[in-house]
Each structure stands twice: as C-alpha cells, then as structure tokens.
Amino acid sequence: MLKKIGVKILKLFIGFFMAAYGTICIINSNLGGAPWDVFHQGVSYKIGITIGSASIIMGVFIVIIDALLGEKIGVATILNMIFIGVFMDLISLNNIAPIPSNTLMRVVTLIEGMIFMSIGTVFYMKCGLGSGPRDGLMVALQKRTNKSVQLIRGSIEIGVLIIGCILGGIPGIGTIITALGIGYIMKIVFKICKFDSSKVKHRSIEECIVYIKRELYEDKHTEKEIIDSN
C-alpha cells in the first residue's frame, strides 16, 4: 500500500514538472506567454519578483477562491501551488526547455507547451489528492455551470489575460492562440486519456491524512499476517 501512495506522489510531481515545462515552452516561443503567464508577468513587474514567485503568490489567493466555491483543498493543491512555480524557475534558469530560433519552431514550441500543460494536468488531477489552484477554479465553475471544460477554461484564460495586460504584462499572438486554443487542446488530451475532470473525487487535506493512515495500517496488518503465517 505504501507503494501505491509512492506512485501517486511520483505522478503528482511528474504532472507538476510537465505543466511547468509546458508553461516555459510557451514563454520561450517568444510569441507571447499564455494568459496566466501574462498575468503572472504583470504581477511580477508590479511587485519586483520572479514569474515563478508571482505564480506561487497568486496561487494562494486562487486557493482561497476555490475554497469559497466549495472545491476541496487537498495536499496536491498546496504542493501544486508551490512546486509548479519552483519548477518554472528551475527550468527557466537552467535553459531546460527549447528556445526556438525561427517562426515555424516558435509555433511548434507553443503547441508543444499547451500539450505538455494539458498532459501534466491529467497526471496530477487523476491522483485525486486535490486539483491545482487554477484547475480547481475550472472544475468548480464547471460543476456550477454544467458547461464544457473548453468553454470554462477559455473564459478563465481570457479573463486573466485582460487583468494581466492592465497590470503591465506583455501579450502577443501566441497569447491569443493559447487563450483560444488551450481549452480545445485540453479537451482533446482529456478525451484521449479518458479523463473527466468534473467526475474526479478529490480528497481534502484531512481526508488525505486519513487515507495515508489507513494505508499504513493495512500495510502493518498485512505484514503481521505474513509473519504469523510463517
């Protein structure tokens, strides 16, 4: 059972890294960052911090909104809020993501970024240990409105893009492509992965603790049975 928990944690961090990698790919495409990145960029300019730090700070506020909308705040929600920002700075500072040199490769890198973001989202949301702050907002609104993930995600992206521009973030053609296309790409990736975000039952932090304790108890109980049988 401990192995089962370990696999979930591994999937979480793979998802976080993939989402962060996808985000930096979009930024590196130099066609304009994704709407959330323009938003974080605007915040970073106003406060004088890195874009990763801005992502973490805004994640705290979004978690509060998620809680007010009735979305469960799990262990993965908190880890997502911290580590995607950390991984973004790590990937950016170490030049891990590709930096395209021509227009065609910029478009390819932009699309690659959206795909990685979507796959990363599937990885960490499937664990059921709490969605990311921004994904939690998407799921909460999807449940309340009963609209498609494509429409909800697209509306959120356009909203944060407008705020980001007001704060001083710099959009580009890639920003518009991402705002209009991320919901569609995410819908395709979700369908390929047979994943319905509105049907995932996330555990709250308290439920996660109970779950881990139960798994540990079952591990000890199973081990005792094996020893007794020998």
Side-chain angles (χ1 to χ4, degrees):
M1 295 304 177
L2 277 175
K3 183 179 178 181
K4 184 179 177 182
I5 296 174
V7 169
K8 280 184 180 289
I9 298 298
L10 179 61
K11 286 182 178 179
L12 276 181
F13 280 90
I14 289 175
F16 296 159
F17 187 86
M18 291 179 76
Y21 179 85
T23 300
I24 299 301
C25 279
I26 293 172
I27 293 173
N28 284 358
S29 72
N30 205 29
L31 294 173
W36 278 108
D37 301 324
V38 173
F39 177 61
H40 295 147
Q41 187 181 50
V43 173
S44 70
Y45 287 161
K46 290 291 182 183
I47 303 177
I49 56 177
T50 67
I51 193 171
S53 297
S55 174
I56 293 171
I57 291 172
M58 295 315 303
V60 174
F61 288 102
I62 299 168
V63 164
I64 294 171
I65 295 173
D66 291 346
L68 292 174
L69 288 173
E71 195 65 17
K72 288 183 178 180
I73 307 303
V75 171
T77 308
I78 306 301
L79 293 176
N80 178 300
M81 181 178 67
I82 297 169
F83 282 98
I84 286 187
V86 170
F87 285 148
M88 281 172 61
D89 284 343
L90 177 68
I91 292 166
S92 181
L93 293 172
N94 291 280
N95 298 317
I96 296 173
I99 302 176
S101 56
N102 58 64
T103 302
L104 176 61
M105 290 310 298
R106 284 173 184 161
V107 173
V108 170
T109 302
L110 177 71
I111 295 172
E112 177 188 356
M114 288 192 282
I115 293 172
F116 267 94
M117 283 178 64
S118 300
I119 296 174
T121 300
V122 172
F123 259 82
Y124 62 71
M125 285 188 71
K126 260 190 171 183
C127 294
L129 299 177
S131 59
R134 296 155 191 80
D135 303 308
L137 181 61
M138 175 186 73
V139 173
L141 292 176
Q142 187 182 4
K143 288 177 180 177
R144 282 175 173 261
T145 62
N146 201 30
K147 301 296 183 182
S148 70
V149 63
Q150 180 180 351
L151 177 62
I152 296 299
R153 186 69 184 223
S155 299
I156 293 173
E157 299 288 320
I158 292 171
V160 297
L161 171 59
I162 293 171
I163 297 172
C165 290
I166 292 172
L167 291 173
I170 303 172
I173 185 63
T175 308
I176 306 300
I177 294 173
T178 305
L180 298 176
I182 187 65
Y184 183 70
I185 288 178
M186 193 165 282
K187 182 180 180 180
I188 293 174
V189 170
F190 281 17
K191 187 174 182 180
I192 292 173
C193 296
K194 297 180 180 179
F195 176 64
D196 186 344
S197 59
S198 65
K199 292 183 179 179
V200 177
K201 294 182 179 179
H202 289 289
R203 296 181 177 90
S204 65
I205 292 176
E206 294 82 4
E207 289 170 336
C208 284
I209 293 172
V210 171
Y211 167 72
I212 291 171
K213 285 183 176 179
R214 185 176 66 246
E215 295 296 327
L216 289 173
Y217 172 78
E218 289 182 1
D219 262 3
K220 288 181 180 179
H221 188 68
T222 302
E223 185 179 348
K224 186 176 183 300
E225 285 182 341
I226 293 172
I227 292 173
D228 290 342
S229 65
N230 291 331

